[in-house]
Amino acid sequence: MKRLLPWAAAALLPWRAAYALFRACAARRVNDPNARAACARARAHGLDVADEAGFCRRVALQPLIDQADVALAWVRQRHWYRHWVRVEGDSFPKRGPFLAITFHVGVGIASAPYALGAHERGVSLIYAPWEAAPGDFIGRTRTRALLSILGRRMGAPPVPTGGAFARARAWLAEGGGIMGLVDAPHYGHRYTSAVPFFGRTIGLSNGLAALAAETGAPVYVFTSTLDGDSPRRLLRIHGPLRAREPEALMREIGLWFEDAVRADPAAWHYWGAVDTAFPPPEA
């Protein structure tokens, strides 16, 4: 039942009131062990996190917003996007093939798909299929609703991994766009490139970079985060990237990733797994 509350609040309340409710809920979880552990890992990587309670509140707030975004994207129309999303930087192409690359940083279901959906052919999301635990009706419903919403908002159906490279290449050849995330935990089981990360090295999936190099499609990187402490969103877009060779392109993507985490350390979802989930490829 608790997982349904963010959906109900986002669907029924004015967004400013719903956001205030979510912030109040997050404030009660400043001592959450997972949030504290995330703060400790961020500090261990050299980030200056002076306000630990503020970091933990932001960590606790983001899952609530993620859940609420499913309802927001379902019931709110484009005027919500225009009112509540601030766009900074470049713009996505509205025609022709391109790749939009992002990371598990912040919250983006109710913002980025509107911008991507302005493309004349539509943009397909490449995603790793995830199955809810047996009996988890809410989890299955949320996953199905999310994929349906993203396909509707972005103008093209999502593409599951497992044969995705060929399907993505074909869609680019038809003039469509492709979106994907490169920082999913892989534990050394995917093709990756080593990129610098706060004085260390981690591995990010390089399939999209290889696809861009093969097809010549321009690459844009973006993040969608909470805009400070306000109920607004900040959509940052940068592109097209200059590098065309896959490893050089991955280094450029890695620099943007590091910059995004530095700008909002609490926004990255995987601090708890940073030491184990992203091994760089062996030399």
Side-chain angles (χ1 to χ4, degrees), residues 184-223:
H186 58 80
Y187 299 96
H189 298 149
R190 295 180 189 164
Y191 293 108
T192 62
S193 294
V195 301
F197 189 68
F198 300 106
R200 309 185 187 193
T201 302
I202 64 173
L204 297 184
S205 298
N206 57 21
L208 293 176
L211 180 64
E214 179 179 318
T215 62
V219 175
Y220 291 73
V221 289
F222 73 94
T223 55

Side-chain angles (χ1 to χ4, degrees), residues 2-282:
K2 288 183 179 179
R3 287 190 290 172
L4 294 176
L5 292 178
W7 297 5
L12 301 176
L13 295 177
W15 174 239
R16 192 179 297 277
Y19 181 77
L21 174 62
F22 298 148
R23 285 199 67 194
C25 292
R28 298 168 62 90
R29 301 183 61 189
V30 294
N31 292 315
D32 179 77
N34 291 328
R36 295 284 181 178
C39 184
R41 298 317 308 148
R43 284 173 167 167
H45 278 70
L47 281 86
D48 182 15
V49 182
D51 181 5
E52 182 171 350
F55 182 100
C56 293
R57 279 195 301 272
R58 201 164 179 83
V59 168
L61 175 61
Q62 290 188 119
L64 298 173
I65 302 297
D66 270 339
Q67 294 175 53
D69 271 3
V70 177
L72 282 175
W74 192 270
V75 303
R76 310 291 182 176
Q77 300 303 315
R78 190 165 293 276
H79 67 272
W80 186 96
Y81 168 82
R82 289 194 295 264
H83 183 73
W84 291 108
V85 179
R86 179 167 67 91
V87 181
E88 182 180 279
D90 301 294
S91 299
F92 294 122
K94 290 185 170 51
R95 60 186 57 86
F98 79 102
L99 286 92
I101 292 177
T102 190
F103 321 96
H104 292 89
V105 173
V107 289
I109 298 170
S111 51
Y114 280 102
L116 291 163
H119 191 272
E120 65 178 8
R121 294 283 290 170
V123 178
S124 284
L125 167 71
I126 296 179
Y127 72 98
W130 176 83
E131 287 294 332
D136 185 3
F137 173 77
I138 293 177
R140 286 198 305 274
T141 300
R142 182 184 186 278
T143 299
R144 291 170 181 167
L146 176 57
L147 292 173
S148 174
I149 291 165
L150 291 174
R152 181 157 55 97
R153 292 293 186 222
M154 293 165 60
V159 176
T161 53
F165 193 95
R167 294 179 63 184
R169 181 173 50 202
W171 184 236
L172 290 172
E174 293 182 29
I178 292 293
M179 172 191 158
L181 298 92
V182 296
D183 65 329
H186 58 80
Y187 299 96
H189 298 149
R190 295 180 189 164
Y191 293 108
T192 62
S193 294
V195 301
F197 189 68
F198 300 106
R200 309 185 187 193
T201 302
I202 64 173
L204 297 184
S205 298
N206 57 21
L208 293 176
L211 180 64
E214 179 179 318
T215 62
V219 175
Y220 291 73
V221 289
F222 73 94
T223 55
S224 178
T225 60
L226 297 172
D227 193 0
D229 290 326
S230 79
R232 294 174 63 85
R233 310 296 174 86
L234 173 60
L235 176 59
R236 298 175 65 214
I237 306 170
H238 175 66
L241 302 189
R242 296 182 300 275
R244 300 311 311 163
E245 189 271 333
E247 288 302 313
L249 182 55
M250 286 303 301
R251 286 192 294 271
E252 204 168 343
I253 291 170
L255 288 174
W256 180 266
F257 172 52
E258 187 180 55
D259 179 67
V261 176
R262 181 183 292 107
D264 192 350
W268 192 43
H269 298 195
Y270 290 126
W271 279 120
V274 65
D275 295 325
T276 58
F278 304 93
E282 295 182 3

